Amino acid sequence: MKKIKIIGGRYGYISPSGVYNVKTPDDPPFEVDNAEAERLIKRGVAEIIGAGAAVLAKGVADDEKLPATPADDDENDDESEYDDIPKYNKESTNSELQAIAKEYGIEIPPHANKAQIIEILDNYFADSPVLNAKEPE
């Protein structure tokens, strides 16, 4: 189990007692299983709280590198896996993110904040096939 805090968007959390809650950045940290913590961190919507937070904040969980996401732009500039996915991250402006969405025909709600737009883009590009076959010689 890992203690996390939501940093962007909303997360539907079911407590161990079976109670459904919506967690937002305004809520205190809570515990989820390791796989779910890694998934939420990878998506850029949560951060680890407590022991190991510094390691996980760098994209490393339990001494293993987390899979790259389009929002991890800072460390993946040379990674061919995402060559046809536009580069964006938390430092991108709302206008830049909106332009990417418009270019790809992705609908963004009128009052979406930056974290929500990044989540929508991540979801859209996560469904894109990854083409990394080598060119024939």
Side-chain angles (χ1 to χ4, degrees):
M1 296 292 279
K2 301 269 187 218
K3 186 175 260 188
I4 64 167
K5 175 155 179 51
I6 298 299
I7 58 174
R10 297 177 188 196
Y11 173 67
Y13 171 71
I14 300 176
S15 71
S17 62
V19 176
Y20 178 81
N21 294 299
V22 175
K23 299 289 188 176
T24 69
D26 297 331
D27 291 314
F30 58 99
E31 286 190 342
V32 295
D33 65 49
N34 294 347
E36 183 67 354
E38 289 179 19
R39 185 184 78 81
L40 294 171
I41 292 164
K42 181 179 95 171
R43 303 211 53 93
V45 299
E47 64 186 7
I48 291 289
I49 303 297
V55 173
L56 286 169
K58 293 179 183 176
V60 179
D62 301 327
D63 298 327
E64 294 180 14
K65 181 111 175 94
L66 287 173
T69 65
D72 290 338
D73 167 63
D74 297 341
E75 297 176 5
N76 296 317
D77 288 337
D78 297 329
E79 197 164 317
S80 63
E81 186 174 339
Y82 294 110
D83 280 348
D84 49 344
I85 296 176
K87 303 292 183 192
Y88 60 93
N89 60 30
K90 294 176 190 171
E91 306 305 316
S92 301
T93 66
N94 279 3
S95 297
E96 292 168 335
L97 297 169
Q98 290 278 357
I100 291 169
K102 184 176 181 180
E103 179 181 345
Y104 286 83
I106 304 167
E107 290 190 37
I108 303 292
H111 300 293
N113 64 32
K114 184 187 290 189
Q116 291 168 327
I117 297 171
I118 288 173
E119 182 177 1
I120 291 167
L121 292 174
D122 284 348
N123 288 338
Y124 177 83
F125 291 118
D127 294 336
S128 297
V130 176
L131 305 176
N132 56 6
K134 293 183 179 180
E135 290 287 326
E137 294 181 17

